[in-house]
Amino acid sequence: MISDTYTFKILRYDAKEPEKEPYFASYKIKVIPGLTVLAMLLRIRDEIDGTLSFRSSCRSAICGSCAMVINGKIDLACRTQVAIFETDTIILEPLPNFEVIKDLVVDMTPFWQMYEKIQPYLIRKSSEPEKEIHQSQKDRKKIDQFVNCILCACCYGACPVLNRDGNYAGPAAMAKLQRFSLDSRDERSAESLEAFNSEDGVWGCDTVFRCIEACPKDVRPTDGIVGLRKTLLKNKAKEIWRAVKK
Ligand code: SF4
């Protein structure tokens, strides 16, 4: 650790008081080795400034609530040790590409709307099974990385396309779409993928891998997007082939 006392500079803003410009508030606080940025935020709120707002829940990188920008890098506050930085100043800012509600709390509505659009659940056309539907280990492996997504929105905040185009579905929604389209138990139609065969969907991605860099769970949303593009192109090729054969 650089020092036993750190300065936390936190970007403060309240959407209910839009006339006040955002500003950095500084908090000096003692840090003991092993503490995370989230642990320090909780102490700052409890011991210094009860008006500070941020989201958190599990403290174990499972709930995905505490995504923010930490010294310029998007990450979860609960899995970021204060001691990893070569400075005793920690700068905290809210996730980019979202409207700020207050301080580090952003309005996740666009993220959840995109997620809802991809119908993030198993779609079945067959009749109700009498027992659970078997999935082989080989089939499960195909979706493993996408299942690991905790919907923290780090990738959404890092996405340069969303920075310029709020209509783009975003990496997390596309990764989840691939998760369900690859699932051996899912029976969604090829047509349902067509809704994302556009610049707002799979073709909007710049494939610059910022989402992969930002993901705290090693999900590779770009792989999902590229996989969806291949599926859509294959479906199109099949359609043309069927038309030629007629
Ligand atoms: Fe978070 Fe990764 Fe899921 Fe994006 S893909 S929401 S960064 S876990």
Side-chain angles (χ1 to χ4, degrees):
M1 284 207 351
I2 293 282
S3 158
D4 64 349
T5 302
Y6 277 65
T7 302
F8 284 76
K9 290 189 174 178
I10 303 174
L11 192 60
R12 311 260 344 235
Y13 175 71
D14 188 344
K16 284 190 185 148
E17 297 175 1
E19 67 285 356
K20 287 190 190 162
E21 290 290 312
Y23 66 98
F24 278 100
S26 290
Y27 304 95
K28 266 190 190 277
I29 188 159
K30 276 197 183 303
V31 177
I32 55 169
L35 287 186
T36 63
V37 169
L38 177 60
M40 297 317 299
L41 271 172
L42 290 163
R43 277 193 51 205
I44 292 168
R45 190 189 60 193
D46 293 348
E47 298 170 21
I48 308 176
D49 187 346
T51 69
L52 185 63
S53 297
F54 54 91
R55 287 197 181 103
S56 71
S57 182
C58 73
R59 306 189 195 192
S60 320
I62 294 169
C63 74
S65 305
C66 62
M68 60 186 69
V69 184
I70 307 168
N71 279 358
K73 184 176 177 290
I74 295 176
D75 211 329
L76 300 176
C78 69
R79 69 164 210 148
T80 306
Q81 296 273 322
V82 174
I84 65 167
F85 297 104
E86 290 172 358
T87 167
D88 58 5
T89 300
I90 310 287
I91 300 172
L92 303 180
E93 297 162 277
L95 265 187
N97 297 339
F98 290 97
E99 295 288 323
V100 174
I101 297 174
K102 188 166 180 287
D103 304 335
L104 301 172
V105 176
V106 294
D107 181 0
M108 298 277 286
T109 308
F111 179 82
W112 296 121
Q113 281 172 340
M114 294 302 181
Y115 182 54
E116 199 179 359
K117 267 193 197 164
I118 62 115
Q119 298 181 286
Y121 38 80
L122 292 179
I123 297 175
R124 300 281 299 171
K125 289 182 192 152
S126 319
S127 50
E128 286 291 306
E130 286 180 10
K131 55 182 186 175
E132 70 274 14
I133 308 163
H134 176 76
Q135 183 171 52
S136 67
Q137 285 190 10
K138 195 172 155 219
D139 282 339
R140 164 67 203 212
K141 269 209 171 319
K142 292 180 193 164
I143 59 170
D144 264 355
Q145 64 146 323
F146 302 115
V147 171
N148 288 343
C149 169
I150 56 171
L151 298 168
C152 64
C154 284
C155 57
Y156 194 103
C159 177
V161 182
L162 280 160
N163 189 260
R164 62 173 191 264
D165 177 9
N167 292 321
Y168 174 49
M174 293 295 91
K176 283 290 182 188
L177 181 60
Q178 177 69 333
R179 176 248 176 274
F180 286 100
S181 88
L182 284 181
D183 195 306
S184 56
R185 301 160 298 179
D186 192 275
E187 296 173 337
R188 66 187 64 210
S189 63
E191 291 76 48
S192 71
L193 285 188
E194 277 300 316
F196 303 94
N197 193 4
S198 67
E199 284 292 314
D200 291 344
V202 299
W203 301 104
C205 173
D206 280 352
T207 55
V208 290
F209 310 119
R210 297 259 178 84
C211 52
I212 294 175
E213 279 168 28
C215 181
K217 304 303 278 189
D218 296 330
V219 181
R220 297 175 56 86
T222 321
D223 292 0
I225 292 166
V226 170
L228 287 165
R229 287 177 177 177
K230 283 184 186 166
T231 305
L232 282 162
L233 290 173
K234 273 187 205 157
N235 290 349
K236 191 73 193 164
K238 278 185 205 159
E239 197 185 305
I240 293 169
W241 180 241
R242 275 196 296 269
V244 169
K245 273 180 50 180
K246 264 187 193 168

